Each structure stands twice: as structure tokens, then as C-alpha cells.
Amino acid sequence: MHNTATAVALGDLAANEPAREFAFSDADFRSLVQLAREHAGIALSESKRNLVYTRVSRRLRALGFTAFKEYRAYLAENAGELESFINAISTNLTKFFRESHHFDHFRSQVAVPFINGQRRGDGRLRVWSAGCSTGEEPYTLAAVLRREIPSGARLDVRILATDIDTDVLGKAARGIYPLNAFESVPRPYLDYFEPVGDGSKESLAAAESIRSLIVFRRLNLIEQWPFRGKFDAIFCRNVMIYFDNPTKTALIDRFIQHIKPGGFLYIGHSESFHGTHSELQLVGRTTYRRKA
Ligand SMILES: C[S@@+](CC[C@H](N)C(=O)[O-])C[C@H]1O[C@@H](n2cnc3c(N)ncnc32)[C@H](O)[C@@H]1O
């Protein structure tokens, strides 16, 4: 533990700034903001100063530094730390069946028509959960799909679930959640979660029948994407909220290139856009259809 009085360089403190465990100057904040923008597209305004301090402090604690200046020097010399920095800075809030109207729409307009053979297209159903965080979104999609697939049917169905944050991806791949995470799961879908092997009654694990539909991968949305295929549906919800407008607009243009004609883009409740992407038609609450 470091004594606050010695750890904080007094010259770095503005008059109304709280005393902090670690010295944190304006230059430190600006430099970390720049890194987050450059490497993850995440735009952090002045109002996020405390958030940056709090989230990155845990890296300083883990590494035994007393000041952000030392951490910045370490970051500059250790490329591997960039991953931990991005993990620390990203916001990962999510839950099962979040904004459940999207899953109603997905079920009736994507899953059911595909499974009934009314809209098979290339014979494959491909869904992308872009910014999947700890996995609740792709497991929700998998449960919705699995419930519609008749048992024994052999259909080519796959959900790609990606995130930039390797910590949350690890949790997503484990697929084990505390019981209170299931409060938002409608009764019939609880069948796809089961007691964990160690007999713990505190958590449930995603069953193999839904796990097998999902592939988890690390992917940075602002970098190159390692695939050329198109998706029947892309869920990118509560991710672009952290990007600035040019980054968001460019990303939506790239999504459009990866949605099959007639396929859908689902975005977060506060992320709507108006008239800027003529290939997309608004067909429901924050639900867009790529024109055929
Ligand atoms: C708030 S969560 C949204 C989770 C889920 N989509 C939902 O709506 O519940 C935002 C996720 O976006 C991820 N993210 C942020 N910037 C990213 C980027 N450049 N590339 C990929 N994922 C990113 C974060 O790591 C985080 O897990």
C-alpha cells in the first residue's frame, strides 16, 4: 500500500481534485484517451476522467506502480500491456434477453423463416454478435435458435461472437453465470442452462446444445475483419455508443457489406441513426433491414 500523501505529486492536483491513491495528471489522462481511441475506437470525453482513473488504477496496483506516468512508460515499452489496458477501459455491461424485442424480431423474421425453409438463401444461417461481452447476447441468440430447431434436424447454423476484450471473452467461453443472471430469461429458455459439474447451486452453465452453435473469437471492430462471408443478422448493440460519429458511420458501412440482402442489423436503444445509410431500412425499434 502506498501512502496517498507521498504517492500524489501535489503539482498534479487541480484545486478541486480529490486526493488520489496514484498520481494522475492531465497529460496522463490525455495520453490514455489517445491510446483508447487509436487502438479500440473508444472515445472518452472529459467527463470520463474518473472512470479512466478508476479502471486503469487496477493495472497500476497489479503491476506495483505508484503513478500513471510510470504506467504510461511501461505501456510504451510492453506491447502486451495494451491488451490489459483495453480490457480495463472497456465497458462490458450486458444481460440475457437485453432489449428483448430484438429477440422476438429475430425469432419471427430470421430464425423461423430459415428453419421452416421459407428463406434458406445459401442454406446457411449466420449470425454475428459483435461486441458480445461476457456472452449473454450470443447465448440468448443460441437459445432462441435452438428452441426453433426440431430435434435431430441437421441445419447449418452458426453464431460468431466477438469482442476486443479478452477477459470477457474468457468468461463468455466458460458460459457459467450466477443464478441472479437468469432473472431476465423467460421460463422456456431456462432449459438450455444446467447445473455446473461441481454441484454448485449458485450458478448455471450453458448446455452443449447451445454452446455448439457459437464460435467465440477476439476481434477489434476498427481493424481488418478476417472473413468475407455475409450474415443473416448482425447484433452490434451498446458498442457504437462508445465510438465517435465518423467511426460509427464507417463501421455501419462495413456492416452493410457483411449483411445478406434482406438481412438485419440490430443496434442499441440509444444508437439510432437517421437517413445516413440508404441501404438500410428501419423496420422496428433500432432494427434495420438491408434492402434486397
Ligand atoms: C456494453 S458491452 C455490450 C454487450 C452486448 N452487445 C449488449 O448489448 O448487452 C460493449 C462491448 O463492446 C466491446 N468493444 C468496445 N470496443 C470494441 C472494439 N473496438 N472492437 C470490439 N469490441 C469492442 C467491449 O469490450 C464490450 O464488451
Side-chain angles (χ1 to χ4, degrees), residues 36-37 39-42 86-87 89-96 98-99 103 128-138 162-166 168-169 218-223 225 235-243 247 251 267-268 271:
R37 180 185 297 273
H39 295 283
I42 297 173
I86 298 295
N87 290 358
I89 213 80
S90 62
T91 298
N92 308 117
L93 189 77
T94 185
K95 67 172 187 168
F96 290 115
R98 182 178 195 182
E99 297 176 52
F103 299 101
W128 183 10
S129 167
C132 67
S133 188
T134 39
E136 287 86 337
E137 182 176 277
T162 65
D163 203 283
I164 194 174
D165 182 336
T166 50
V168 293
L169 270 179
R218 180 178 190 268
L219 183 139
N220 184 346
L221 286 167
I222 65 160
E223 289 179 354
W225 301 343
F235 280 67
C236 186
R237 307 183 311 155
N238 310 299
V239 178
M240 291 184 278
I241 192 175
Y242 303 106
F243 299 163
T247 307
L251 183 57
I267 66 174
E271 298 170 320

Side-chain angles (χ1 to χ4, degrees), residues 114-291:
F114 177 82
I115 289 156
N116 290 347
Q118 294 145 331
R119 203 175 164 276
R120 277 277 159 83
D122 60 4
R124 304 195 283 195
L125 184 68
R126 293 290 180 265
V127 185
W128 183 10
S129 167
C132 67
S133 188
T134 39
E136 287 86 337
E137 182 176 277
Y139 285 121
T140 300
L141 286 164
V144 168
L145 275 167
R146 181 53 79 194
R147 189 149 188 267
E148 301 303 327
I149 300 176
S151 61
R154 295 180 64 81
L155 293 170
D156 187 353
V157 171
R158 187 79 61 236
I159 299 162
L160 172 67
T162 65
D163 203 283
I164 194 174
D165 182 336
T166 50
D167 290 340
V168 293
L169 270 179
K171 289 185 186 157
R174 274 195 297 284
I176 298 175
Y177 302 91
L179 286 185
N180 62 8
F182 295 92
E183 282 161 11
S184 55
V185 178
R187 178 70 198 89
Y189 296 103
L190 287 174
D191 289 351
Y192 301 107
F193 298 90
E194 55 196 22
V196 283
D198 63 5
S200 151
K201 294 203 167 60
E202 305 303 309
S203 19
L204 293 175
E208 185 52 31
S209 62
I210 59 170
R211 274 176 191 278
S212 59
L213 299 178
I214 309 174
V215 174
F216 290 102
R217 291 276 181 277
R218 180 178 190 268
L219 183 139
N220 184 346
L221 286 167
I222 65 160
E223 289 179 354
Q224 289 275 327
W225 301 343
F227 48 74
R228 262 178 293 158
K230 290 194 189 331
F231 296 87
D232 297 86
I234 297 179
F235 280 67
C236 186
R237 307 183 311 155
N238 310 299
V239 178
M240 291 184 278
I241 192 175
Y242 303 106
F243 299 163
D244 59 23
N245 276 333
T247 307
K248 181 175 157 180
T249 302
L251 183 57
I252 292 170
D253 280 336
R254 290 171 79 199
F255 281 145
I256 291 168
Q257 300 313 312
H258 284 273
I259 299 175
K260 295 177 190 173
F264 297 96
L265 172 66
Y266 301 87
I267 66 174
H269 62 280
S270 58
E271 298 170 320
S272 59
F273 49 88
H274 302 286
T276 38
H277 301 274
S278 56
E279 305 90 330
L280 293 176
Q281 182 191 359
L282 183 67
V283 292
R285 222 179 335 150
T286 50
T287 303
Y288 296 82
R289 181 175 176 273
R290 182 177 169 180
K291 293 177 184 164

